[in-house]
Amino acid sequence: LAKTTQPISMDSYEGQEVNITCSHNNIATNDYITWYQQFPSQGPRFIIQGYKTKVTNEVASLFIPADRKSSTLSLPRVSLSDTAVYYCLVGDTGSSASKIIFGSGTRLSIRP
Amino acid sequence: DGGITQSPKYLFRKEGQNVTLSCEQNLNHDAMYWYRQDPGQGLRLIYYSQIVNDFQKGDIAEGYSVSREKKESFPLTVTSAQKNPTAFYLCASSRVRQGGEKLFFGSGTQLSVL
């Protein structure tokens, strides 16, 4: 099982770009990298998913180096509403979601 | 709107009582999951089901039971054997296919012991 390591917490200010890095040294060939966001007392919400290189959507960008042993979630121009816990998951969520491990995530705090 | 509905939002259990948490999805997903989340922690898998009438234990299945009689429904029963049931319970669903998929989550049920 691919274990991930990410910072326990991060602080930033409104309008800044925030980058959260996740380490996954034993990622397997079929594994995807997926990030979720969770607000208090709510279920996690999908943010972005990638396999290699760079993926961008309306919310975030995901940068994956060639060796795929790490990934970086980039949130442009954060606002107070981006304060949440962010989880980095590695695995094939389609065929083996039961093997996906949710770590403790990164608690992101945005200040005015 | 398509999505996953969990009910109730809050639930209280008395000593020795079994309680059932509801999870319904209208996304036509084959797979459904139950997770437990303790304060400040990540999610731990309780049970999952990839097809109707079949389900598998996750990492912390003891004290819990499930059924999957319909594709859209995956109720979780917290039995009296679960000695520390206070937690936030999350239901999720996904399609089953190779190549990566999203997990869709419900809004959760907070279970507390009276």
Side-chain angles (χ1 to χ4, degrees):
Chain A
L1 298 177
K3 187 174 183 293
T4 60
T5 302
Q6 52 184 122
I8 295 174
S9 63
M10 293 181 67
D11 295 324
S12 189
Y13 293 91
E14 281 192 294
Q16 299 294 307
E17 178 184 79
V18 171
N19 296 310
I20 306 175
T21 297
C22 180
S23 172
H24 29 80
N25 290 320
N26 59 341
I27 188 169
T29 302
N30 294 334
D31 287 345
Y32 282 71
I33 300 156
T34 311
W35 286 80
Y36 288 83
Q37 175 193 56
Q38 186 181 26
F39 297 112
S41 300
Q42 294 186 26
R45 183 179 69 126
F46 172 89
I47 301 175
I48 197 165
Q49 184 180 73
Y51 184 80
K52 61 181 180 180
T53 63
K54 176 184 174 183
V55 179
T56 297
N57 61 22
E58 65 277 6
V59 176
S61 294
L62 179 58
F63 298 91
I64 305 169
D67 65 5
R68 302 201 327 125
K69 293 184 184 299
S70 67
S71 59
T72 299
L73 173 72
S74 181
L75 303 173
R77 297 180 299 281
V78 294
S79 65
L80 295 175
S81 63
D82 291 313
T83 295
V85 177
Y86 292 81
Y87 295 97
C88 165
L89 308 183
V90 170
D92 189 347
T93 48
S95 63
S96 56
S98 59
K99 297 181 173 61
I100 302 298
I101 298 174
F102 278 83
S104 299
T106 296
R107 191 169 300 272
L108 176 65
S109 298
I110 305 300
R111 303 177 181 179
Chain B
D1 288 336
I4 299 183
T5 302
Q6 288 188 241
S7 62
K9 181 70 174 173
Y10 300 96
L11 187 58
F12 297 91
R13 194 192 89 166
K14 296 179 182 178
E15 289 284 342
Q17 186 182 42
N18 293 351
V19 292
T20 297
L21 284 60
S22 171
C23 178
E24 303 276 333
Q25 56 101 356
N26 60 3
L27 299 167
N28 199 33
H29 286 168
D30 288 306
M32 297 186 75
Y33 313 83
W34 275 106
Y35 291 91
R36 169 180 171 141
Q37 187 173 35
D38 293 286
Q41 304 297 313
L43 282 66
R44 291 185 291 168
L45 184 64
I46 305 173
Y47 268 99
Y48 66 98
S49 167
Q50 292 195 302
I51 195 169
V52 174
N53 292 323
D54 186 54
F55 48 83
Q56 306 295 327
K57 292 182 179 180
D59 302 317
I60 55 166
E62 186 174 347
Y64 301 97
S65 66
V66 294
S67 63
R68 186 86 187 277
E69 297 176 1
K70 298 186 297 182
K71 186 176 184 178
E72 59 270 22
S73 179
F74 191 41
L76 172 75
T77 296
V78 184
T79 75
S80 57
Q82 173 50 246
K83 298 307 179 188
N84 183 24
T86 296
F88 189 51
Y89 291 86
L90 286 159
C91 179
S93 72
S94 72
R95 293 189 296 182
V96 178
R97 68 179 185 93
Q98 294 285 346
E101 272 295 333
K102 305 176 190 179
L103 286 170
F104 288 79
F105 285 86
S107 56
T109 294
Q110 176 64 50
L111 175 62
S112 302
V113 176
L114 290 176

